[in-house]
């Protein structure tokens, strides 16, 4: 708080634009931390929520159920890979991950063959609660807690060159490995680091062979971000468990979902109460949040959404061609609607680098919310953003490349 600038007071949002107290407009080029998919204060989502608020705002989700939760589970399962059969609700992305980890650990515990070690990628980010932090890369964010985090084996992202090594590593560890957790195709917090589906697929096939459960963290990549509905649609081997949040409600409110296969579900189905997955939050499956997700799903499955996603992909591709040879551009990479540009700094690349603050304020002054990760600028717009708004963002990035 001592060094942070004053926050900007936002009073209203419409489409890709936010308005502050003085009426200044900002294009939300990062979808308010990657959550917003169809624009702010979307009228369809707002109306559905208002109707639901007048019917049922909340009810205990133990021993009771309600239509929005049931319908959301059914519609979600229809969209996911065939092997995903069961839905578990929680409150946000981190809790969706906690639930996934607990499912895996208890899957082995319930069989009387405890496995406690986990496998994750270096530089991973899976959330800020303790289990989620443990399976995330060690960094400035975790430093104060590192010696309290449980044991995780970290491996490099898979490539053509290292895939054999990674497979042997999995084989060597396999009898003790409860699960492998991964961000598919794009590691968001690490700096929009991208890797190829082919090698992920191969690694997942190997995990399956070695009976290591796999957790696909689609909290960020879900619902069209990577160009397909889910990042796992780029691979053939399907994960055992999937996690969702962020875009799940179109960015309207917090909700977490963890889905799993029947194989995992069946390991908890028993007369023995000790085999229960004891996990519940006060607001589990909140009807308003489920309704927001259902309304969001109406928009996701409309014709307009894939067309908008394709449109953004093409705009990004053209921008990439335009700037990739600029001397200040170290690299520029794209997966679907996500484009990330690494600034040539000569030396420092840390998240806390001073360049980051300069760039942040440069764009804020220009009426664009971009939040660089160190020297990496990324654009991750709501799908409703117009070509004109995108062109304005691209032009300001080019100005910044020339001026800063
Ligand atoms: C944001 C994020 C999370 C955590 O979600 P929260 O809702 O912020 O707790 C987990 N995994 C990934 C890949 C994320 O991007």
């Amino acid at each position: 708080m001592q060094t942070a600038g004053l926050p900007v007071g936002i009073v209203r949002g419409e489409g890709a634009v936010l308005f502050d107290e003085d009426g200044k407009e900002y294009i939300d080029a990062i979808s308010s931390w990657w959550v917003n998919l169809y624009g702010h204060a979307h009228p369809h989502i707002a109306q559905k929520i208002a109707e639901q608020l007048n019917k049922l705002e909340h009810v205990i989700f133990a021993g009771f159920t309600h239509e929005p939760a049931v319908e959301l589970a059914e519609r979600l399962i229809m969209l996911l890979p065939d092997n995903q059969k069961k839905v578990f609700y929680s409150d946000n992305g981190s809790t969706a991950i906690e639930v996934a980890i607990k499912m895996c650990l208890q899957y082995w515990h319930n069989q009387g063959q405890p496995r406690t070690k986990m496998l994750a990628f270096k530089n991973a980010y899976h959330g800020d609660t303790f289990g989620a932090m443990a399976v995330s890369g060690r960094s400035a964010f975790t430093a104060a807690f590192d010696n309290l985090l449980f044991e995780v084996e970290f491996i490099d992202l898979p490539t053509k060159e290292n895939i054999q090594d990674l497979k042997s590593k999995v084989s060597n560890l396999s009898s003790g490995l409860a699960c492998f957790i991964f961000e598919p195709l794009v590691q968001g917090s690490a700096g929009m680091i991208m890797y190829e589906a082919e090698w992920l697929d191969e690694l997942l096939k190997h995990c399956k062979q070695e009976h290591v459960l796999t957790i696909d963290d689609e909290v960020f990549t879900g619902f069209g971000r990577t160009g397909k509905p889910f990042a796992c649609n780029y691979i053939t081997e399907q994960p055992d468990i999937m996690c969702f949040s962020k875009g799940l409600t179109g960015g309207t409110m917090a909700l977490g979902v963890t889905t799993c296969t029947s194989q995992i579900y069946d390991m908890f189905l028993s007369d023995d109460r000790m085999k229960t997955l004891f996990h519940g939050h006060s607001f589990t499956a909140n009807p308003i949040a489920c309704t927001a997700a259902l309304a969001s799903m109406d928009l996701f499955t409309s014709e307009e959404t894939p067309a908008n996603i394709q449109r953004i992909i093409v705009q990004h591709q053209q921008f990439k061609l335009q700037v990739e040879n600029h001397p200040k551009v170290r690299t520029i990479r794209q997966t679907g609607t996500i484009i990330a540009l690494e600034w040539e700094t000569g030396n420092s690349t840390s998240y806390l680098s001073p360049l980051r603050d300069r760039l942040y304020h440069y764009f804020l002054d220009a009426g664009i919310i971009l939040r660089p990760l160190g020297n990496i600028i990324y654009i991750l717009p709501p799908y409703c953003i117009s070509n004109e708004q995108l062109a304005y963002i691209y032009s300001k990035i080019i100005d910044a490349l020339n001026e800063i």
Side-chain angles (χ1 to χ4, degrees):
M1 291 312 293
Q2 184 123 333
T3 56
L6 281 178
V8 181
I10 296 295
V11 292
R12 192 167 74 80
E14 189 180 339
V17 178
L18 292 164
F19 300 84
D20 77 8
E21 293 158 340
D22 302 323
K24 180 171 163 136
E25 297 183 16
Y26 303 86
I27 301 174
D28 188 356
I30 55 161
S31 299
S32 282
W33 242 343
W34 323 345
V35 300
N36 193 294
L37 298 188
Y38 315 104
H40 289 280
H42 195 285
H44 178 67
I45 301 177
Q47 192 200 324
K48 291 287 181 180
I49 286 179
E51 286 167 12
Q52 183 60 41
L53 262 173
N54 283 309
K55 248 193 282 183
L56 176 67
E57 85 303 340
H58 188 61
V59 60
I60 176 175
F61 204 63
F64 294 86
T65 189
H66 52 80
E67 199 181 321
V70 174
E71 194 188 335
L72 178 58
E74 286 173 355
R75 283 178 68 181
L76 199 53
I77 288 299
M78 300 269 288
L79 291 179
L80 296 181
D82 292 343
N83 70 343
Q84 298 299 303
K85 300 289 191 211
K86 299 289 172 184
V87 172
F88 193 103
Y89 289 110
S90 64
D91 291 352
N92 56 61
S94 300
T95 57
I97 298 292
E98 297 289 337
V99 170
I101 292 171
K102 286 168 87 169
M103 278 181 180
C104 289
L105 291 173
Q106 198 176 341
Y107 171 89
W108 296 108
H109 175 90
N110 283 359
Q111 294 178 69
Q113 307 175 351
R115 292 186 177 195
T116 52
K117 207 174 231 182
M118 288 174 213
L119 192 67
F121 283 136
K122 285 178 188 160
N123 301 316
Y125 178 77
H126 297 290
D128 283 349
T129 52
F130 261 84
M133 256 198 304
V135 290
S136 299
R138 303 293 176 261
S139 70
F141 297 173
T142 64
F145 319 104
D146 280 357
N147 58 357
L148 297 170
L149 301 175
F150 54 71
E151 204 184 343
V152 175
E153 198 72 39
F154 291 102
I155 54 173
D156 289 319
L157 293 174
T159 61
K160 186 172 189 232
E161 288 71 35
N162 73 5
I163 187 71
Q164 290 313 327
D165 286 349
L166 296 185
K167 282 160 80 172
S168 341
K169 189 147 197 182
V170 171
S171 299
N172 292 337
L173 293 167
S174 65
S175 61
L177 277 183
C179 62
F180 166 49
I181 183 167
F182 61 95
E183 295 157 277
L185 307 193
V186 188
Q187 291 188 298
S189 294
M192 301 298 156
I193 307 294
M194 299 172 186
Y195 65 101
E196 284 175 55
E198 185 179 352
W199 311 114
L200 175 63
D201 210 9
E202 207 156 318
L203 190 56
L204 291 183
K205 284 194 180 107
H206 191 70
C207 285
K208 178 94 6 133
Q209 244 176 46
E210 298 284 356
H211 306 288
V212 174
L213 297 176
T214 54
I215 304 174
D216 176 14
D217 177 356
E218 298 244 9
V219 168
F220 163 49
T221 50
F223 302 98
R225 277 291 175 210
T226 63
K228 295 200 182 193
F230 300 98
C232 71
N233 297 134
Y234 286 93
I235 54 183
T236 56
E237 186 64 46
Q238 294 309 321
D240 297 296
I241 294 178
M242 297 179 75
C243 300
F244 308 94
S245 189
K246 292 205 163 91
L248 175 62
T249 61
T252 303
M253 55 196 295
L255 179 66
V257 161
T258 308
T259 63
C260 71
T261 59
S262 302
Q263 185 198 340
I264 291 179
Y265 176 82
D266 289 345
M267 206 55 84
F268 293 79
L269 197 61
S270 167
D271 294 329
D272 181 358
R273 298 272 328 261
M274 287 305 288
K275 296 209 167 160
T276 306
L277 179 63
F278 287 112
H279 188 110
H281 296 279
S282 314
F283 286 102
T284 291
N286 174 261
I288 309 297
C290 290
T291 298
L294 282 167
S296 176
M297 210 159 293
D298 294 339
L299 302 173
F300 184 64
T301 52
S302 73
E303 275 172 29
E304 206 180 333
T305 294
N308 272 336
I309 289 172
Q310 281 314 309
R311 181 177 55 80
I312 294 168
I313 290 174
V314 171
Q315 302 298 306
H316 278 352
Q317 282 165 345
Q318 288 167 358
F319 173 61
K320 184 166 177 277
L321 288 176
Q322 205 184 338
V323 298
E324 62 191 352
N325 294 321
H326 192 289
K328 290 268 189 57
V329 177
R330 186 180 293 166
T331 57
I332 181 162
R333 51 184 175 264
Q334 180 191 5
T335 299
T337 66
I338 310 161
I339 189 161
L341 183 159
E342 231 171 277
W343 208 274
E344 187 55 73
T345 54
N347 44 38
S348 138
T349 57
S350 112
Y351 180 86
L352 306 168
S353 94
L355 175 68
R356 185 248 169 230
D357 289 347
R358 272 187 81 187
L359 291 171
Y360 176 72
H361 288 288
Y362 182 93
F363 294 115
L364 210 57
D365 289 345
I368 302 168
I369 305 176
L370 282 174
R371 226 169 164 276
L373 294 155
N375 66 325
I376 298 162
I377 293 183
Y378 63 91
I379 314 174
L380 193 107
Y383 304 149
C384 65
I385 196 165
S386 69
N387 285 355
E388 292 69 32
Q389 287 167 327
L390 280 172
Y392 177 69
I393 298 167
Y394 300 146
S395 77
K396 283 293 158 189
I397 291 178
I398 292 172
D399 288 352
L401 284 168
N402 292 332
E403 290 168 25
I404 293 181

